[in-house]
Amino acid sequence: MPVMQFIEAVRETLRDEMRRDERVFVMGEDVGRRGGVFRATQGLIDEFGEERVIDTPLTESAIVGVGIGAALTGMRPVCEIQFADFIWPAMNQIISEAARMRYRSNGDWFVPMVIRAPFGGGVHGGLYHSQSVEAHFAHSPGLKIVVPSTPYDVRGLLRSAIRDDDPVLFFEHKGLYRAARGEVPEGDYTIPIGKADVKRDGTDITVFSYGKTLHFCLEAAEQVAHEGISAMVVDLRSLRPLDEETILRAAARTGKVLIVHEDNAFMGIGAEVAALIAERVLFELDAPVMRLCGPEIPAMPYSAPLEKAYMLSPEKVAAKMRELAAF
Amino acid sequence: MATRTGSRHGELGLTDERMLEMYYYMLLTRRLDERLWLLQRSGKIPFVISAQGQEGAQVGAAFALEKGVDWVVPYYRDLGTVLVMGMTPREVFLHAFAREGDPSSGGRQMAHHWSHRRWNIVSGSSPVATQVPHAVGIALGARMQGKNIVVLTALGEGSSNQGDFHEALNFAGVHKLPVIVHVQNNEYAISVPLRKQLACQNVADRAAGYGMPGVVVDGTDVLEVYRVFREAVARARRGEGPTLIESKNVRLTAHSSDDDDKTYRPREELEAARRRDPLATTRQYLYEAGLLDEAREKELEDRVRREIDEAAAWAEAQPHPSVESMFRHVYKEA
Ligand SMILES: Cc1ncc(C[n+]2csc(CCOP(=O)(O)OP(=O)(O)O)c2C)c(N)n1
């Protein structure tokens, strides 16, 4: 099986889907000649032309709003928001329009669109190139939210997202673009949205995560394994819908749960996962549910030591795992 | 039927029949609107927001489109537009009463949030101006599929200050898309008068900044409206891109049934507005052109009243949506 970088997986999937289905097109800022600021769309304009690889004006609300209109005609737009931090001008279009179109028209109109946005920190991006925004959207029924952590998952999930008849937010951790590599099978496989993935089995504690911190959890699990702690690591992958079945089964298996994400904790994805577990499998637990998340400050500072302090790491996760295992 | 020379509608290529049809739609819009207020005041429906004063702008514009082929992305006052495009009085009442069969939303949205997939009338929300980028995207999507359609969207002049309006027009201008953006200026955004809304004289003056023609038209003159929209439609079909059209209208009612305009609007001003009532001036035109006399007018009024009576009674008797229906269509159903 070929080995691919995370960003190559994004690009090759876009290419495959555009070849497969004429209705698929990409648009966003700098997606054309430049190939996107992260180069996720590099080369697509050579193959598909500027009609299907559309450099838009610098207008997030219109990128999403125009995408909605195109989707209403049956096209399959894949809209790129250059950085998730700049998605706020499009918030109204995403929440009020894309998420509600099907509901408000009683099923008559729907929006088969994908919004891709690089998110996350640890790349010296400061306050406005580091944000995690997923919780703001996860609150809204009508949206699907996907956060892959491996090239394999990118390919399977991005295909599903593009073929989905509902709006999907596809958040790509920019710290994984070139750092995450992995085997990717040839051929047209998909991964259903709404399915978590047990990335490592274990018997002492269960750790839930997604995106870049998922990799920290896997590294930490290796570290603590040498100390005799067997950690199960579950990649949520899809934040809306959440895979309740897998979450509950994994929580019950070890009775000790840790939720790890880069986004701050308050009202975050971890809170939802914790509530779900408390409501449904409380008596299977042997310890209080723990969370390890970003700090409660508005956003990530630029200074190197401050950024380091903000970010999670395998060491921080391992320390929390030990605390949980010892409970 | 041949068109008549020497008449304004004849010069525009409109047969007498078609001209009368225009008036029929204006009258239907007005009488339906009046009925909605009655129903609201008698507690049968919760909310009305009026098209009164804007019938000329709406009917004139919609007559320039091809029903069932072109698309409209309307705003809440566009009752006249959606009637011309294919929505029936029964469907309007189903929506107003929020009944199960409401084709606009199945009883989910407040009244006046028009949608009808069969007629390419696209569902809108309540935040203003969000529909303008949708119209642009529809034009983009249609062009990518090689379909020669025109997309009409509308909004008020107050709403033309929203970012979405500017983002969408710029996008349409850059990509030369077949969109017509119709700003129906009625001089008020709820209670805020024009001078507190715009720093320029006309909304249409902004068009130059987006690389498209900006046209100002008297919205109370249905024929003049038809003429400028027909031109914009032809321009769009030739692939020459978007047009911004601002019709100057009067608002003959309060903003909505929740508003009392006595608190901010001088009565003399409203009186002056009534003298520009598009329904009255079009009626006058038809009398002068010999297309209408008292007998024929009564016949038309009776026909419209019968249609409305029948439609309202029928719609009110339809079932409410079931509570279970509330949970449907959040996502695609298997
Ligand atoms: C984004 C947003 N802000 C505020 C409102 C409340 N609101 C509804 S209609 C309206 C006035 C709109 O005026 P205008 O665009 O001139 O249209 P008109 O109602 O006069 O036809 C306002 C402020 C809204 N619906 N959406």
Side-chain angles (χ1 to χ4, degrees):
Chain A
M1 279 197 285
V3 171
M4 248 186 212
Q5 277 183 330
F6 191 97
I7 189 136
E8 284 176 283
V10 173
R11 186 187 309 127
E12 292 318 310
T13 309
L14 291 172
R15 191 193 310 277
D16 290 348
E17 288 299 292
M18 289 176 79
R19 282 182 184 162
R20 187 188 62 81
D21 184 346
E22 279 198 340
R23 300 170 304 171
V24 179
F25 71 99
V26 301
M27 67 174 168
E29 292 153 16
D30 303 290
V31 299
R33 277 284 143 239
R34 160 80 202 188
V37 292
F38 291 101
R39 311 261 167 177
T41 54
Q42 193 174 29
L44 296 184
I45 196 167
D46 299 319
E47 181 170 351
F48 302 104
E50 53 184 41
E51 298 278 301
R52 284 180 76 198
V53 182
I54 302 175
D55 273 324
T56 65
L58 213 170
T59 49
E60 282 73 16
S61 191
I63 291 169
V64 174
V66 171
I68 290 170
L72 291 172
T73 68
M75 297 298 288
R76 305 236 150 207
V78 181
C79 298
E80 180 175 298
I81 300 291
Q82 201 157 66
F83 290 84
D85 312 68
F86 309 132
I87 206 167
W88 309 123
M91 191 80 172
N92 192 39
Q93 284 291 343
I94 298 170
I95 305 279
S96 299
E97 308 299 320
R100 297 188 184 166
M101 184 65 78
R102 187 186 286 281
Y103 190 76
R104 78 187 191 210
S105 66
N106 203 17
D108 269 3
W109 295 105
F110 54 94
V111 179
M113 89 191 287
V114 178
I115 300 168
R116 292 181 40 248
F119 80 105
V123 294
H124 313 297
L127 268 69
Y128 300 105
H129 297 80
S130 307
Q131 290 168 53
S132 297
V133 301
E134 59 273 19
H136 295 266
F137 296 96
H139 190 63
S140 288
L143 298 175
K144 294 184 178 178
I145 300 172
V146 174
V147 188
S149 65
T150 66
Y152 174 84
D153 288 348
V154 165
R155 279 190 69 66
L157 286 164
L158 187 53
R159 285 194 189 105
S160 293
I162 291 170
R163 298 173 196 182
D164 201 287
D165 279 340
D166 287 305
V168 182
L169 298 183
F170 198 84
F171 291 121
E172 300 157 10
H173 198 294
K174 63 179 89 70
L176 296 177
Y177 272 151
R178 285 164 215 286
R181 300 172 65 83
E183 290 195 340
V184 173
E186 315 258 6
D188 182 32
Y189 69 95
T190 57
I191 296 171
I193 294 171
K195 287 273 173 274
D197 186 36
V198 178
K199 290 257 188 311
R200 178 194 171 101
D201 202 4
T203 50
D204 296 328
I205 61 171
T206 302
V207 185
F208 296 103
S209 192
Y210 56 89
K212 187 170 167 79
T213 51
L214 187 274
H215 295 272
F216 295 164
C217 294
L218 289 171
E219 274 186 62
E222 274 304 306
Q223 286 180 27
V224 300
H226 300 302
E227 303 157 25
I229 301 171
S230 165
M232 177 179 197
V233 179
V234 180
D235 186 356
L236 294 175
R237 290 200 300 203
S238 160
L239 305 183
R240 182 140 202 169
L242 270 178
D243 183 352
E244 298 188 356
E245 205 187 307
T246 303
I247 292 170
L248 295 173
R249 201 177 337 107
R253 175 162 163 81
T254 67
K256 290 185 173 182
V257 172
L258 170 65
I259 306 153
V260 179
H261 55 62
E262 187 177 316
D263 198 0
N264 54 312
F266 191 83
M267 301 271 177
I269 304 302
E272 185 59 36
V273 173
L276 176 71
I277 292 168
E279 280 178 345
R280 304 269 289 274
V281 290
L282 180 69
F283 299 110
E284 310 284 334
L285 295 187
D286 301 320
V289 173
M290 291 184 184
R291 284 185 286 170
L292 181 66
C293 306
E296 297 297 322
I297 56 176
M300 194 169 300
Y302 181 57
S303 134
L306 296 186
E307 184 186 82
K308 187 158 180 284
Y310 186 113
M311 288 296 286
L312 299 181
S313 64
E315 292 67 36
K316 289 180 191 175
V317 176
K320 197 76 181 172
M321 285 177 167
R322 287 183 199 106
E323 186 189 329
L324 178 62
F327 187 90
Chain B
M1 198 188 290
T3 56
R4 285 198 291 160
T5 49
S7 69
R8 281 184 65 207
H9 63 277
E11 300 299 331
L12 287 170
L14 290 167
T15 61
D16 289 352
E17 221 171 24
R18 193 90 174 123
M19 180 67 226
L20 278 167
E21 206 186 332
M22 260 186 176
Y23 182 69
Y24 160 78
Y25 275 107
M26 291 175 71
L27 186 70
L28 179 66
T29 306
R30 174 66 56 89
R31 299 291 176 249
L32 249 170
D33 198 287
E34 289 167 346
R35 181 65 59 89
L36 290 168
W37 279 93
L38 280 177
L39 291 168
Q40 196 276 334
R41 292 303 189 227
S42 60
K44 291 198 167 187
I45 61 175
F47 181 70
V48 186
I49 192 159
S50 239
Q52 291 185 40
Q54 295 173 215
E55 296 92 341
Q58 296 173 5
V59 172
F63 260 69
L65 296 177
E66 206 177 317
K67 177 175 159 178
V69 172
D70 294 327
W71 288 49
V72 292
V73 193
Y75 90 124
Y76 44 84
R77 290 199 202 282
D78 266 319
L79 177 60
T81 312
V82 300
L83 286 170
V84 174
M85 295 312 286
M87 201 171 287
T88 65
R90 279 186 171 200
E91 291 169 335
V92 168
F93 284 118
L94 281 175
H95 183 48
F97 285 115
R99 292 306 196 253
E100 183 182 67
D102 159 28
S104 293
S105 79
R108 289 167 177 200
Q109 294 229 64
M110 282 174 91
H112 305 261
H113 288 68
W114 317 110
S115 173
H116 203 310
R117 179 142 193 155
R118 161 75 185 85
W119 299 115
N120 303 329
I121 299 168
V122 176
S123 161
S125 63
S126 300
V128 297
T130 52
Q131 72 274 24
V132 188
H134 302 172
V136 174
I138 290 164
L140 178 73
R143 184 167 75 185
M144 291 172 103
Q145 295 165 63
K147 293 181 185 153
N148 189 1
I149 64 153
V150 176
V151 188
L152 168 67
T153 188
L155 69 163
E157 79 292 347
S159 305
S160 77
N161 297 309
Q162 285 281 328
D164 268 359
F165 174 83
H166 301 279
E167 293 198 15
L169 264 76
N170 184 58
F171 200 114
V174 167
H175 288 276
K176 281 198 172 316
L177 292 165
V179 184
I180 303 171
V181 178
H182 183 189
V183 174
Q184 298 178 27
N185 182 347
N186 62 19
E187 299 185 351
Y188 280 96
I190 308 188
S191 68
V192 182
L194 203 53
R195 69 188 161 77
K196 292 188 183 180
Q197 295 183 57
L198 301 180
C200 51
Q201 201 190 347
N202 305 300
V203 178
D205 296 343
R206 294 168 167 172
Y210 308 121
M212 65 181 74
V215 184
V216 176
V217 63
D218 177 356
T220 68
D221 183 344
V222 67
L223 287 173
E224 189 56 13
V225 172
Y226 172 72
R227 189 183 67 76
V228 302
F229 274 83
R230 206 176 56 167
E231 248 172 53
V233 167
R235 219 180 97 72
R237 285 208 212 286
R238 287 195 303 266
E240 290 167 23
T243 307
L244 172 61
I245 300 176
E246 176 185 12
S247 59
K248 305 278 194 190
N249 295 274
V250 288
R251 194 183 88 189
L252 299 178
T253 63
H255 170 74
S256 75
S257 52
D258 292 336
D259 176 38
D260 176 7
D261 61 352
K262 287 192 202 70
T263 58
Y264 57 82
R265 197 173 182 192
R267 291 298 95 178
E268 312 80 69
E269 188 198 282
L270 188 58
E271 281 314 310
R274 290 212 176 97
R275 285 193 290 279
R276 287 181 59 214
D277 182 344
L279 192 70
T281 51
T282 308
R283 173 180 170 275
Q284 181 72 23
Y285 173 81
L286 292 174
Y287 267 84
E288 282 162 13
L291 294 184
L292 211 58
D293 55 27
E294 274 174 26
R296 271 187 281 180
E297 188 183 0
K298 182 169 181 319
E299 202 179 300
L300 192 63
E301 287 276 4
D302 286 347
R303 178 182 146 204
V304 166
R305 188 174 340 99
R306 272 198 311 278
E307 272 184 78
I308 291 174
D309 287 346
E310 186 278 333
W314 176 85
E316 195 182 358
Q318 298 309 301
H320 291 281
S322 69
V323 172
E324 301 80 71
S325 80
M326 179 164 79
F327 298 99
R328 299 197 54 195
H329 303 303
V330 179
Y331 296 98
K332 182 180 183 171
E333 295 175 357

PDB file of all heavy atoms in Angstrom, chain B residues 18 74 124 126 133 152 176 181 202 215 230 260 264 273 275 283 308 322:
ATOM      1  N   ARG B  18     -52.243  39.969 -21.693  1.00  0.00           N
ATOM      2  CA  ARG B  18     -51.101  39.872 -20.774  1.00  0.00           C
ATOM      3  C   ARG B  18     -51.104  41.069 -19.819  1.00  0.00           C
ATOM      4  O   ARG B  18     -50.792  40.927 -18.643  1.00  0.00           O
ATOM      5  CB  ARG B  18     -49.833  39.831 -21.619  1.00  0.00           C
ATOM      6  CG  ARG B  18     -48.606  39.439 -20.867  1.00  0.00           C
ATOM      7  CD  ARG B  18     -48.345  37.940 -20.849  1.00  0.00           C
ATOM      8  NE  ARG B  18     -47.042  37.716 -20.212  1.00  0.00           N
ATOM      9  CZ  ARG B  18     -46.843  36.947 -19.138  1.00  0.00           C
ATOM     10  NH1 ARG B  18     -47.849  36.270 -18.616  1.00  0.00           N
ATOM     11  NH2 ARG B  18     -45.647  36.838 -18.620  1.00  0.00           N
ATOM     12  N   PRO B  74     -36.624  34.810  -3.118  1.00  0.00           N
ATOM     13  CA  PRO B  74     -37.388  35.987  -2.711  1.00  0.00           C
ATOM     14  C   PRO B  74     -37.088  36.454  -1.289  1.00  0.00           C
ATOM     15  O   PRO B  74     -36.380  35.780  -0.550  1.00  0.00           O
ATOM     16  CB  PRO B  74     -38.831  35.491  -2.794  1.00  0.00           C
ATOM     17  CG  PRO B  74     -38.744  34.034  -2.514  1.00  0.00           C
ATOM     18  CD  PRO B  74     -37.406  33.572  -3.028  1.00  0.00           C
ATOM     19  N   GLY B 124     -35.985  30.777   2.146  1.00  0.00           N
ATOM     20  CA  GLY B 124     -35.150  31.799   2.790  1.00  0.00           C
ATOM     21  C   GLY B 124     -35.272  31.724   4.302  1.00  0.00           C
ATOM     22  O   GLY B 124     -36.153  31.064   4.836  1.00  0.00           O
ATOM     23  N   SER B 126     -34.731  34.133   8.155  1.00  0.00           N
ATOM     24  CA  SER B 126     -35.103  35.476   8.611  1.00  0.00           C
ATOM     25  C   SER B 126     -33.953  36.477   8.649  1.00  0.00           C
ATOM     26  O   SER B 126     -34.193  37.660   8.450  1.00  0.00           O
ATOM     27  CB  SER B 126     -35.777  35.409   9.976  1.00  0.00           C
ATOM     28  OG  SER B 126     -36.941  34.627   9.905  1.00  0.00           O
ATOM     29  N   PRO B 133     -26.164  35.808  -1.615  1.00  0.00           N
ATOM     30  CA  PRO B 133     -25.147  34.845  -2.066  1.00  0.00           C
ATOM     31  C   PRO B 133     -25.736  33.542  -2.613  1.00  0.00           C
ATOM     32  O   PRO B 133     -25.155  32.950  -3.527  1.00  0.00           O
ATOM     33  CB  PRO B 133     -24.303  34.557  -0.811  1.00  0.00           C
ATOM     34  CG  PRO B 133     -24.738  35.490   0.241  1.00  0.00           C
ATOM     35  CD  PRO B 133     -25.938  36.247  -0.217  1.00  0.00           C
ATOM     36  N   LEU B 152     -33.397  35.603 -10.015  1.00  0.00           N
ATOM     37  CA  LEU B 152     -33.842  36.880  -9.452  1.00  0.00           C
ATOM     38  C   LEU B 152     -33.866  36.769  -7.936  1.00  0.00           C
ATOM     39  O   LEU B 152     -34.437  35.831  -7.388  1.00  0.00           O
ATOM     40  CB  LEU B 152     -35.259  37.212  -9.960  1.00  0.00           C
ATOM     41  CG  LEU B 152     -35.987  38.368  -9.254  1.00  0.00           C
ATOM     42  CD1 LEU B 152     -35.307  39.707  -9.532  1.00  0.00           C
ATOM     43  CD2 LEU B 152     -37.457  38.431  -9.688  1.00  0.00           C
ATOM     44  N   LYS B 176     -19.337  37.437 -13.528  1.00  0.00           N
ATOM     45  CA  LYS B 176     -20.322  37.769 -14.589  1.00  0.00           C
ATOM     46  C   LYS B 176     -21.485  36.775 -14.617  1.00  0.00           C
ATOM     47  O   LYS B 176     -21.803  36.158 -15.644  1.00  0.00           O
ATOM     48  CB  LYS B 176     -19.636  37.780 -15.957  1.00  0.00           C
ATOM     49  CG  LYS B 176     -18.840  39.041 -16.253  1.00  0.00           C
ATOM     50  CD  LYS B 176     -18.603  39.141 -17.751  1.00  0.00           C
ATOM     51  CE  LYS B 176     -17.995  40.450 -18.214  1.00  0.00           C
ATOM     52  NZ  LYS B 176     -18.540  41.658 -17.631  1.00  0.00           N
ATOM     53  N   VAL B 181     -30.349  41.404  -8.959  1.00  0.00           N
ATOM     54  CA  VAL B 181     -30.588  41.714  -7.554  1.00  0.00           C
ATOM     55  C   VAL B 181     -31.544  42.900  -7.506  1.00  0.00           C
ATOM     56  O   VAL B 181     -31.238  43.983  -8.000  1.00  0.00           O
ATOM     57  CB  VAL B 181     -29.270  42.024  -6.821  1.00  0.00           C
ATOM     58  CG1 VAL B 181     -29.559  42.384  -5.356  1.00  0.00           C
ATOM     59  CG2 VAL B 181     -28.329  40.823  -6.895  1.00  0.00           C
ATOM     60  N   ASN B 202     -28.813  56.597  -4.058  1.00  0.00           N
ATOM     61  CA  ASN B 202     -29.514  55.390  -4.504  1.00  0.00           C
ATOM     62  C   ASN B 202     -28.698  54.145  -4.170  1.00  0.00           C
ATOM     63  O   ASN B 202     -27.474  54.162  -4.301  1.00  0.00           O
ATOM     64  CB  ASN B 202     -29.708  55.405  -6.025  1.00  0.00           C
ATOM     65  CG  ASN B 202     -30.411  56.659  -6.495  1.00  0.00           C
ATOM     66  OD1 ASN B 202     -31.544  56.930  -6.082  1.00  0.00           O
ATOM     67  ND2 ASN B 202     -29.727  57.432  -7.310  1.00  0.00           N
ATOM     68  N   VAL B 215     -29.599  50.219 -11.976  1.00  0.00           N
ATOM     69  CA  VAL B 215     -30.743  50.887 -12.602  1.00  0.00           C
ATOM     70  C   VAL B 215     -31.715  51.312 -11.515  1.00  0.00           C
ATOM     71  O   VAL B 215     -32.017  50.533 -10.609  1.00  0.00           O
ATOM     72  CB  VAL B 215     -31.465  49.923 -13.576  1.00  0.00           C
ATOM     73  CG1 VAL B 215     -32.596  50.626 -14.293  1.00  0.00           C
ATOM     74  CG2 VAL B 215     -30.474  49.307 -14.556  1.00  0.00           C
ATOM     75  N   ARG B 230     -36.868  43.235 -18.078  1.00  0.00           N
ATOM     76  CA  ARG B 230     -36.735  42.468 -19.315  1.00  0.00           C
ATOM     77  C   ARG B 230     -35.352  42.685 -19.936  1.00  0.00           C
ATOM     78  O   ARG B 230     -34.714  41.755 -20.423  1.00  0.00           O
ATOM     79  CB  ARG B 230     -37.844  42.882 -20.284  1.00  0.00           C
ATOM     80  CG  ARG B 230     -38.179  41.796 -21.266  1.00  0.00           C
ATOM     81  CD  ARG B 230     -39.316  42.184 -22.136  1.00  0.00           C
ATOM     82  NE  ARG B 230     -39.034  43.444 -22.827  1.00  0.00           N
ATOM     83  CZ  ARG B 230     -39.751  43.905 -23.846  1.00  0.00           C
ATOM     84  NH1 ARG B 230     -40.788  43.216 -24.272  1.00  0.00           N
ATOM     85  NH2 ARG B 230     -39.439  45.040 -24.417  1.00  0.00           N
ATOM     86  N   ASP B 260     -46.160  49.330  14.975  1.00  0.00           N
ATOM     87  CA  ASP B 260     -47.118  50.435  14.897  1.00  0.00           C
ATOM     88  C   ASP B 260     -46.392  51.622  14.301  1.00  0.00           C
ATOM     89  O   ASP B 260     -45.569  52.258  14.959  1.00  0.00           O
ATOM     90  CB  ASP B 260     -47.638  50.763  16.299  1.00  0.00           C
ATOM     91  CG  ASP B 260     -48.568  51.961  16.272  1.00  0.00           C
ATOM     92  OD1 ASP B 260     -48.901  52.447  15.170  1.00  0.00           O
ATOM     93  OD2 ASP B 260     -48.961  52.418  17.365  1.00  0.00           O
ATOM     94  N   TYR B 264     -43.571  56.613  14.413  1.00  0.00           N
ATOM     95  CA  TYR B 264     -42.405  57.176  13.722  1.00  0.00           C
ATOM     96  C   TYR B 264     -42.709  57.758  12.350  1.00  0.00           C
ATOM     97  O   TYR B 264     -41.841  58.327  11.715  1.00  0.00           O
ATOM     98  CB  TYR B 264     -41.304  56.114  13.591  1.00  0.00           C
ATOM     99  CG  TYR B 264     -41.727  54.843  12.866  1.00  0.00           C
ATOM    100  CD1 TYR B 264     -41.732  54.785  11.472  1.00  0.00           C
ATOM    101  CD2 TYR B 264     -42.133  53.711  13.576  1.00  0.00           C
ATOM    102  CE1 TYR B 264     -42.137  53.637  10.803  1.00  0.00           C
ATOM    103  CE2 TYR B 264     -42.543  52.556  12.918  1.00  0.00           C
ATOM    104  CZ  TYR B 264     -42.540  52.521  11.538  1.00  0.00           C
ATOM    105  OH  TYR B 264     -42.934  51.397  10.873  1.00  0.00           O
ATOM    106  N   ALA B 273     -47.997  58.746   0.160  1.00  0.00           N
ATOM    107  CA  ALA B 273     -47.646  57.423  -0.369  1.00  0.00           C
ATOM    108  C   ALA B 273     -48.864  56.772  -1.023  1.00  0.00           C
ATOM    109  O   ALA B 273     -48.767  56.159  -2.085  1.00  0.00           O
ATOM    110  CB  ALA B 273     -47.097  56.540   0.747  1.00  0.00           C
ATOM    111  N   ARG B 275     -51.169  58.139  -2.556  1.00  0.00           N
ATOM    112  CA  ARG B 275     -51.429  58.710  -3.886  1.00  0.00           C
ATOM    113  C   ARG B 275     -50.540  58.069  -4.948  1.00  0.00           C
ATOM    114  O   ARG B 275     -50.798  58.194  -6.138  1.00  0.00           O
ATOM    115  CB  ARG B 275     -51.247  60.234  -3.844  1.00  0.00           C
ATOM    116  CG  ARG B 275     -52.418  60.938  -3.141  1.00  0.00           C
ATOM    117  CD  ARG B 275     -52.408  62.439  -3.375  1.00  0.00           C
ATOM    118  NE  ARG B 275     -51.319  63.129  -2.697  1.00  0.00           N
ATOM    119  CZ  ARG B 275     -51.329  63.477  -1.400  1.00  0.00           C
ATOM    120  NH1 ARG B 275     -52.377  63.208  -0.643  1.00  0.00           N
ATOM    121  NH2 ARG B 275     -50.311  64.097  -0.853  1.00  0.00           N
ATOM    122  N   ARG B 283     -54.615  50.583 -12.381  1.00  0.00           N
ATOM    123  CA  ARG B 283     -56.062  50.550 -12.674  1.00  0.00           C
ATOM    124  C   ARG B 283     -56.424  51.730 -13.561  1.00  0.00           C
ATOM    125  O   ARG B 283     -57.123  51.580 -14.581  1.00  0.00           O
ATOM    126  CB  ARG B 283     -56.811  50.613 -11.349  1.00  0.00           C
ATOM    127  CG  ARG B 283     -58.306  50.746 -11.473  1.00  0.00           C
ATOM    128  CD  ARG B 283     -58.926  50.787 -10.065  1.00  0.00           C
ATOM    129  NE  ARG B 283     -60.328  51.141 -10.126  1.00  0.00           N
ATOM    130  CZ  ARG B 283     -60.788  52.395 -10.174  1.00  0.00           C
ATOM    131  NH1 ARG B 283     -59.952  53.420 -10.146  1.00  0.00           N
ATOM    132  NH2 ARG B 283     -62.084  52.619 -10.226  1.00  0.00           N
ATOM    133  N   ILE B 308     -60.017  33.876  -3.203  1.00  0.00           N
ATOM    134  CA  ILE B 308     -59.424  34.035  -1.874  1.00  0.00           C
ATOM    135  C   ILE B 308     -60.318  33.406  -0.810  1.00  0.00           C
ATOM    136  O   ILE B 308     -59.824  32.697   0.076  1.00  0.00           O
ATOM    137  CB  ILE B 308     -59.148  35.528  -1.595  1.00  0.00           C
ATOM    138  CG1 ILE B 308     -58.014  36.007  -2.515  1.00  0.00           C
ATOM    139  CG2 ILE B 308     -58.790  35.755  -0.125  1.00  0.00           C
ATOM    140  CD1 ILE B 308     -57.737  37.489  -2.457  1.00  0.00           C
ATOM    141  N   SER B 322     -48.242  17.010  12.179  1.00  0.00           N
ATOM    142  CA  SER B 322     -48.197  16.147  13.355  1.00  0.00           C
ATOM    143  C   SER B 322     -46.961  16.485  14.174  1.00  0.00           C
ATOM    144  O   SER B 322     -45.966  16.968  13.635  1.00  0.00           O
ATOM    145  CB  SER B 322     -48.130  14.682  12.911  1.00  0.00           C
ATOM    146  OG  SER B 322     -46.871  14.444  12.308  1.00  0.00           O
TER     147      SER B 322
END
